[in-house]
């Protein structure tokens, strides 16, 4: 489990910011982990601000809500540069669904950290096709700390790190939940639907004997 570094006892001129990345597939608990870290910062009486892209309005326009329905207040923003304007004098900046932001998000996270803020970004590391998503690879490159969280493959129960799309759309951004995506391991992701069905039907027959 990630334990936040503490630099609070350093003299002010020695205090420095840093970047943490929390990444993984859908259903891997990224947002829960983000909320856990932000709540701990609040307990430490740090000023916390949370942002998310305005396009992600699956649950509630102003709250970050994870799949397990833990909510935390957040500000929807249209562009990455708005985060810099709105972050003000806060000490900890949380950003959810970071993969949807424009490429400016990389320099903005750096700028915030250079100002002495702790920046925690959460986002999908891969899209539905298994390709790196948005600026997440760049953010992982510049971050001090990277945490990759994993889901469980709903087909076989192994560790999953792919978001498998259940609907035929080829659009890169298709917001949805359990009706549109499921977590899959590498093998079940590559097998595709027909092969998975065949394999597991075969297993069922064997188990019935
Ligand atoms: Zn699997």
């Amino acid at each position: 489990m990630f334990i936040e570094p503490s630099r609070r006892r350093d003299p002010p001129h020695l205090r420095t910011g840093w970047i943490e990345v929390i990444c993984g597939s859908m259903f891997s608990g990224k947002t829960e982990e983000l909320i856990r870290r932000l709540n701990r910062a609040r307990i430490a009486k740090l000023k916390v601000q949370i942002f998310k892209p305005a396009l992600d309005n699956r649950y509630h326009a102003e709250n970050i809500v994870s799949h397990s329905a833990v909510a935390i207040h957040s500000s929807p923003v249209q562009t990455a540069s708005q985060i810099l304007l709105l972050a003000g004098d806060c000490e900890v900046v949380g950003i959810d669904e970071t993969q949807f932001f424009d490429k400016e998000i990389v320099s903005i996270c750096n700028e915030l950290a250079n100002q002495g803020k702790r920046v925690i970004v959460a986002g999908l590391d891969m899209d539905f096709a298994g390709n790196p998503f948005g600026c997440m690879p760049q953010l992982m490159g510049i971050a001090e700390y990277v945490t990759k969280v994993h889901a469980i493959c709903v087909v076989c129960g192994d560790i999953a790190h792919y978001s498998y799309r259940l609907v035929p759309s080829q659009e890169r951004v298709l917001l949805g939940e359990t009706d549109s995506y499921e977590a899959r391991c590498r093998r079940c992701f590559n097998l595709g639907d027909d092969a998975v069905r065949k394999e597991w039907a075969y297993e069922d027959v064997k188990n019935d004997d």
Side-chain angles (χ1 to χ4, degrees):
M1 184 180 303
F2 182 85
I3 304 285
E4 50 282 89
S6 175
R7 293 170 187 159
R8 303 193 87 190
R9 289 201 178 85
D10 291 350
H13 71 284
L14 290 180
R15 281 187 207 153
T16 174
W18 67 86
I19 300 171
E20 299 163 30
V21 171
I22 304 163
C23 64
S25 67
M26 294 184 73
F27 315 109
S28 61
K30 298 180 298 297
T31 301
E32 280 97 331
E33 178 61 12
L34 176 66
I35 291 172
R36 186 185 74 85
R37 294 185 195 184
L38 294 172
N39 279 337
R40 288 165 66 88
R42 283 211 174 113
I43 293 168
K45 300 196 169 49
L46 295 167
K47 273 194 216 160
V48 175
Q49 280 264 23
I50 307 140
F51 301 95
K52 64 172 191 175
L55 74 101
D56 183 28
N57 58 1
R58 271 174 295 181
Y59 303 99
H60 189 281
E62 293 226 329
N63 281 346
I64 288 184
V65 184
S66 75
H67 300 257
S68 60
V70 190
I72 196 161
H73 183 80
S74 73
S75 311
V77 289
Q78 298 289 344
T79 62
S81 57
Q82 282 178 286
I83 297 174
L84 199 55
L85 293 173
L86 296 169
D89 64 346
C90 74
E91 295 156 291
V92 181
V93 176
I95 307 172
D96 199 20
E97 301 288 356
T98 310
Q99 75 280 355
F100 291 137
F101 278 108
D102 52 280
K103 65 177 190 301
E104 228 189 323
I105 191 75
V106 180
S107 58
I108 278 160
C109 287
N110 254 338
E111 174 61 28
L112 291 166
N114 293 346
Q115 289 175 5
K117 299 184 198 304
R118 175 182 174 195
V119 184
I120 315 172
V121 304
L124 286 168
D125 46 12
M126 286 187 285
D127 65 12
F128 74 99
N131 296 316
F133 208 144
C135 286
M136 292 302 287
Q138 285 86 341
L139 288 167
M140 289 157 82
I142 62 164
E144 274 88 343
Y145 307 100
V146 177
T147 304
K148 194 151 180 162
V149 285
H150 295 89
I152 295 295
C153 176
V154 298
V155 178
C156 75
D158 268 347
I159 293 292
H161 83 309
Y162 288 107
S163 308
Y164 186 83
R165 188 177 279 179
L166 300 164
V167 289
S169 167
Q170 291 300 308
E171 294 283 312
R172 192 174 209 202
V173 178
L174 175 76
L175 298 178
E177 282 312 313
T178 41
D179 54 336
S180 318
Y181 296 95
E182 65 186 23
R184 288 201 183 184
C185 70
R186 181 177 293 276
R187 185 166 181 276
C188 296
F189 178 83
N190 288 328
L191 277 176
D193 273 335
D194 291 346
V196 156
R197 235 176 269 129
K198 229 178 267 169
E199 188 164 297
W200 287 87
Y202 170 71
E203 288 291 322
D204 287 344
V205 171
K206 259 200 331 196
N207 292 339
D208 287 346
D209 288 346

